[in-house]
Amino acid sequence: MATTAELFEEPFVADEYIERLVWRTPGGGSRGGPEAFDPKRLLEEFVNHIQELQLMDERIQRKVEKLEQQCQKEAKEFAKKVQELQKSNQVAFQHFQELDEHISYVATKVCHLGDQLEGVNTPRQRAVEAQKLMKYFNEFLDGELKSDVFTNPEKIKEAADIIQKLHLIAQELPFDRFSEVKSKIASKYHDLECQLIQEFTSAQRRGEISRMREVAAVLLHFKGYSHCVDVYIKQCQEGAYLRNDVFEDAAILCQRVNKQVGDIFSNPETVLAKLIQNVFEIKLQSFVKDQLEECRKSDAEQYLKTLYDLYTRTTNLSSKLMEFNLGTDKQTFLSKLIKSIFISYLENYIEVETGYLKSRSAMILQRYYDSKNHQKRSIGTGGIQDLKERIRQRTNLPLGPSIDTHGETFLSQEVVVNLLQETKQAFERCHRLSDPSDLPRNAFRIFTILVEFLCIEHIDYALETGLAGIPSSDSRNANLYFLDVVQQANTIFHLFDKQFNDHLMPLISSSPKLSECLQKKKEIIEQMEMKLDTGIDRTLNCMIGQMKHILAAEQKKTDFKPEDENNVLIQYTNACVKVCAYVRKQVEKIKNSMDGKNVDTVLMELGVRFHRLIYEHLQQYSYSCMGGMLAICDVAEYRKCAKDFKIPMVLHLFDTLHALCNLLVVAPDNLKQVCSGEQLANLDKNILHSFVQLRADYRSARLARHFS
């Protein structure tokens, strides 16, 4: 059995258990030798081991049954013991309730006895106190104060308590009988009050917080308590303003007082609020007045900057003071103090702001035009000007004499930056100094001034001047400066739009003025775009006019119908070279003057007009075989120039024109085949015919027969 028990290991695994049993059995191995495998012996060992296991199981089962019986017995004993304890607990709880009731009864008796004793003692104490007050009152009647409490300076606190009570009693007495004693009590009351205030002052100078607290507690019941607070506030400010920054001094003063006022007064928030009120209404108000009155009438710019700076520093100080306990509604309290200082300056702030901004903007513009030695033209307004504008939009005709601007655009980025900077500062001041209800309206007024001087007086004037400076389309060697105006106007308007979004929008975003501002901005944009479109269109006409002059001056009939067909040495005509050079220069200028889709739009329009010009120009000549080859070379060069446009439609037009020029040189037998090619198949037959008619050999019967 011991051997069997040794074979069990934790955790128990049946296969390993059998392996250990076989390994310990002689003849249970699988190898040869003296201990060769013996199945009979192994079977015998298994049978014996099974019997041992059965005996072990029986023994363990008996032990388990014995333990279960023992556990049941102990459980019954434990349950019995718990019942006995519950009964004991109930008895103890009943005793506790009886004891609690007895204690409550005794306590009630004691309280009743205490109330009876207090009822007897309180009248006695009052009687004693009344007797003392009558004794002191008699001394005032006799006119001689003999009590130690009145003659000993160290007992001023007790004397103050007595005289305060006598003063209250004296006020109830009839004046005709007790006028003299009332006068004496009032005099003593006043003397003690002055002594206490003097004592408080001395203690404050010595820095004795505990003594200040004692005296303040006594004075709390006197009429002169507020005078005590005033003395404290006055002495706190002595030597407090030593720096150049009165606002920083005030903040440090309030922080210092805030730390000690709670140790002195029973109502520290009231005292601190009174100190802050005193600082604002006397020190700060005086400082602000001195600073602003100097420049209020003489220097509007300095006045506005100083007002903004002082108001900002005052509100910053107010924000610091919000950390202190000043009562229930400290936000309203501080706002009223700030308003009391600045109300006379804020009432007409926007009038000063707009007046200064107008004069400053006008001065910036005038200084610029003076630097250019330019006298501004008067741009008409009203019905006549509107009529001219409508005629110009519909006919694209220059109305009025052309003005030579000598290449000057009359647009200055420096001027624009100065105007925007002034307006930015105005918006910042407006945000800070305007009442919230007036803020959108005031911001709109500033915006209208910016529109007037930047958009109308500067940009619009430059556009009008630029339009007037565009020469007619038949002018020779015209200088086209309007694209420079377009470039600068585009840059300036981006700056204007940025300020609109960054500085104006936050001020009006939640008010009805938003839609009004957006509408005004939209009108300005549309007005300027209209003039820009007109100017660009007329500039393109001038470009085409210049090309016409070049072609008229440089192109000769003999270019396409040379006298000696065998002696043509040029690759393309001189007219083509000059036109392409001119076009490339203008394309580069357009790309530099515009951005985004505007470049593609203008280049497409120029490309279409350029193509029409070359198309019509080629229609004016008759072409020999060699002349046709030269025309093809010219068109190839024009097509190469058109690639610089990077506009697919323009390139397609010149590809088609190049294909049409092939009709000038193709053999008569191949005309129909060429006309039905990919590039010419969709063209009108009249267009094809018009090009074939340009051939010098068109009238030959053979060519007419093949094309018919």
Side-chain angles (χ1 to χ4, degrees), residues 122 132 157 161 195 228 280 293 320 328 459 509 675 688:
T122 299
K132 289 181 179 179
K157 182 178 179 180
D161 181 58
Q195 291 178 34
C228 172
F280 271 74
E293 291 300 329
K320 294 179 182 178
T328 54
I459 303 178
S509 58
C675 290
L688 301 176

Side-chain angles (χ1 to χ4, degrees), residues 55 58 118 120 143 148 254 345 410 528 540 650:
L55 292 174
E58 292 174 358
E118 185 178 3
V120 173
D148 182 58
C254 293
Y345 306 107
F410 293 107
M528 291 185 179
L540 294 181
V650 174

Side-chain angles (χ1 to χ4, degrees), residues 170-351:
Q171 290 180 352
E172 302 295 328
L173 298 175
F175 182 78
D176 52 348
R177 292 178 56 191
F178 298 96
S179 59
E180 185 177 353
V181 70
K182 290 179 72 172
S183 174
K184 292 178 181 179
I185 292 174
S187 177
K188 188 64 176 178
Y189 180 92
H190 179 70
D191 291 344
L192 278 175
E193 190 177 60
C194 292
Q195 291 178 34
L196 288 170
I197 292 175
Q198 184 61 40
E199 177 64 21
F200 182 89
T201 304
S202 301
Q204 185 175 2
R205 288 175 178 167
R206 295 192 302 268
E208 297 178 0
I209 301 297
S210 59
R211 183 58 179 163
M212 292 170 65
R213 180 172 57 250
E214 292 176 6
V215 176
V218 175
L219 279 169
L220 182 63
H221 304 290
F222 280 75
K223 295 178 179 179
Y225 178 72
S226 60
H227 185 57
C228 172
V229 174
D230 293 338
V231 169
Y232 173 76
I233 290 173
K234 181 180 179 181
Q235 288 201 168
C236 283
Q237 296 184 72
E238 291 180 358
Y241 305 103
L242 300 177
R243 301 175 183 80
N244 293 328
D245 189 347
V246 66
F247 296 94
E248 185 64 24
D249 288 338
I252 294 173
L253 169 65
C254 293
Q255 289 173 353
R256 175 167 57 84
V257 171
N258 180 62
K259 293 178 181 178
Q260 68 174 208
V261 70
D263 298 331
I264 300 173
F265 298 98
S266 59
N267 53 342
E269 66 280 354
T270 305
V271 177
L272 184 58
K274 193 170 184 179
L275 169 66
I276 292 173
Q277 184 177 358
N278 184 276
V279 169
F280 271 74
E281 293 181 350
I282 297 177
K283 190 66 181 179
L284 294 186
Q285 188 162 17
S286 174
F287 179 77
V288 169
K289 184 177 180 181
D290 292 343
Q291 294 289 314
L292 292 177
E293 291 300 329
E294 292 181 6
C295 54
R296 187 170 189 175
K297 296 181 180 179
S298 59
D299 190 346
E301 179 182 9
Q302 187 60 40
Y303 170 75
L304 289 169
K305 289 181 178 179
T306 305
L307 176 60
Y308 175 75
D309 177 63
L310 292 175
Y311 191 85
T312 301
R313 292 164 70 188
T314 306
T315 53
N316 290 340
L317 174 62
S318 174
S319 299
K320 294 179 182 178
L321 299 180
M322 283 290 291
E323 301 173 2
F324 306 144
N325 181 16
L326 304 177
T328 54
D329 195 359
K330 51 187 174 183
Q331 177 69 50
T332 304
F333 170 70
L334 292 171
S335 298
K336 287 182 178 179
L337 291 179
I338 295 174
K339 187 175 181 181
S340 67
I341 295 176
F342 291 97
I343 186 169
S344 62
Y345 306 107
L346 298 182
E347 285 177 342
N348 66 335
Y349 150 71
I350 194 60
E351 304 302 330

Side-chain angles (χ1 to χ4, degrees), residues 635-676:
V635 174
E637 191 65 20
Y638 292 139
R639 182 175 62 176
K640 189 185 299 183
C641 182
K643 287 183 179 179
D644 295 341
F645 287 58
K646 296 182 180 178
I647 305 295
M649 178 181 172
V650 174
L651 185 59
H652 174 70
L653 290 174
F654 278 92
D655 285 341
T656 304
L657 183 58
H658 187 269
L660 283 171
C661 287
N662 286 331
L663 298 177
L664 301 175
V665 298
V666 70
D669 296 339
N670 296 331
L671 273 175
K672 286 188 176 181
Q673 180 182 352
V674 172
C675 290
S676 59

Side-chain angles (χ1 to χ4, degrees), residues 43-230:
L43 175 61
E44 181 181 350
E45 182 65 24
F46 278 176
V47 171
N48 293 334
H49 197 74
I50 289 171
Q51 291 176 353
E52 290 179 5
L53 288 175
Q54 288 175 345
L55 292 174
M56 183 184 293
D57 179 62
E58 292 174 358
R59 182 173 62 82
I60 292 173
Q61 187 63 34
R62 287 195 298 273
K63 189 175 180 180
V64 168
E65 291 175 355
K66 183 178 178 181
L67 290 173
E68 287 178 348
Q69 291 174 359
Q70 185 178 352
C71 181
Q72 291 175 358
K73 181 179 178 182
E74 290 180 357
K76 290 179 180 179
E77 292 176 355
F78 181 75
K80 184 178 179 182
K81 189 174 182 180
V82 169
Q83 289 178 354
E84 292 175 355
L85 289 173
Q86 286 179 341
K87 291 179 181 179
S88 300
N89 184 55
Q90 289 178 353
V91 173
F93 183 73
Q94 290 176 355
H95 290 167
F96 177 77
Q97 284 184 326
E98 293 173 359
L99 181 61
D100 184 57
E101 291 174 357
H102 186 65
I103 290 173
S104 298
Y105 175 76
V106 173
T108 303
K109 289 291 185 181
V110 170
C111 289
H112 179 66
L113 181 60
D115 291 340
Q116 288 180 334
L117 290 174
E118 185 178 3
V120 173
N121 189 53
T122 299
R124 180 179 175 278
Q125 287 181 341
R126 290 177 179 173
V128 171
E129 186 176 352
Q131 184 183 13
K132 289 181 179 179
L133 289 174
M134 290 172 65
K135 174 187 173 184
Y136 296 134
F137 188 79
N138 285 333
E139 291 184 13
F140 279 99
L141 280 173
D142 297 339
E144 186 178 358
L145 301 178
K146 300 178 182 180
S147 299
D148 182 58
V149 71
F150 292 125
T151 58
N152 190 348
E154 296 181 358
K155 294 186 177 182
I156 189 172
K157 182 178 179 180
E158 292 83 350
D161 181 58
I162 292 169
I163 201 67
Q164 196 268 338
K165 292 176 180 177
L166 288 175
H167 186 262
L168 292 176
I169 293 171
Q171 290 180 352
E172 302 295 328
L173 298 175
F175 182 78
D176 52 348
R177 292 178 56 191
F178 298 96
S179 59
E180 185 177 353
V181 70
K182 290 179 72 172
S183 174
K184 292 178 181 179
I185 292 174
S187 177
K188 188 64 176 178
Y189 180 92
H190 179 70
D191 291 344
L192 278 175
E193 190 177 60
C194 292
Q195 291 178 34
L196 288 170
I197 292 175
Q198 184 61 40
E199 177 64 21
F200 182 89
T201 304
S202 301
Q204 185 175 2
R205 288 175 178 167
R206 295 192 302 268
E208 297 178 0
I209 301 297
S210 59
R211 183 58 179 163
M212 292 170 65
R213 180 172 57 250
E214 292 176 6
V215 176
V218 175
L219 279 169
L220 182 63
H221 304 290
F222 280 75
K223 295 178 179 179
Y225 178 72
S226 60
H227 185 57
C228 172
V229 174
D230 293 338

Side-chain angles (χ1 to χ4, degrees), residues 425-566:
Q425 293 173 359
F427 280 135
E428 290 174 350
R429 289 192 291 264
C430 176
H431 188 198
R432 175 71 71 176
L433 302 176
S434 295
D435 187 89
S437 60
D438 297 330
L439 178 58
R441 182 169 59 255
N442 292 346
F444 179 74
R445 291 181 64 178
I446 294 173
F447 173 65
T448 56
I449 295 173
L450 176 64
V451 169
E452 177 185 353
F453 285 93
L454 176 63
C455 298
I456 298 176
E457 293 295 329
H458 192 54
I459 303 178
D460 190 68
Y461 175 77
L463 292 179
E464 286 288 344
T465 305
L467 285 171
I470 298 176
S472 61
S473 59
D474 57 353
S475 299
R476 294 177 178 270
N477 300 320
N479 292 320
L480 304 177
Y481 297 114
F482 192 78
L483 290 179
D484 296 331
V485 177
V486 173
Q487 179 185 9
Q488 293 186 37
N490 187 42
T491 302
I492 291 170
F493 202 80
H494 282 312
L495 296 175
F496 169 77
D497 191 55
K498 186 176 188 305
Q499 182 164 97
F500 183 92
N501 294 324
D502 293 349
H503 296 97
L504 177 61
M505 284 292 287
L507 308 183
I508 60 172
S509 58
S510 57
S511 75
K513 287 292 180 182
L514 174 61
S515 59
E516 198 170 341
C517 288
L518 291 174
Q519 180 62 29
K520 193 171 188 65
K521 178 186 171 186
K522 180 182 177 183
E523 291 173 356
I524 289 293
I525 292 175
E526 291 176 349
Q527 179 182 346
M528 291 185 179
E529 285 181 345
M530 193 179 301
K531 292 182 179 180
L532 287 170
D533 290 345
T534 301
I536 291 171
D537 187 63
R538 288 173 54 191
T539 300
L540 294 181
N541 284 342
C542 286
M543 291 179 183
I544 298 302
Q546 290 291 101
M547 295 181 210
K548 285 182 179 180
H549 287 307
I550 294 172
L551 291 173
E554 300 294 334
Q555 198 82 73
K556 301 176 182 177
K557 291 185 177 181
T558 55
D559 287 342
F560 302 117
K561 200 173 181 182
E563 296 177 358
D564 187 357
E565 292 280 329
N566 298 320

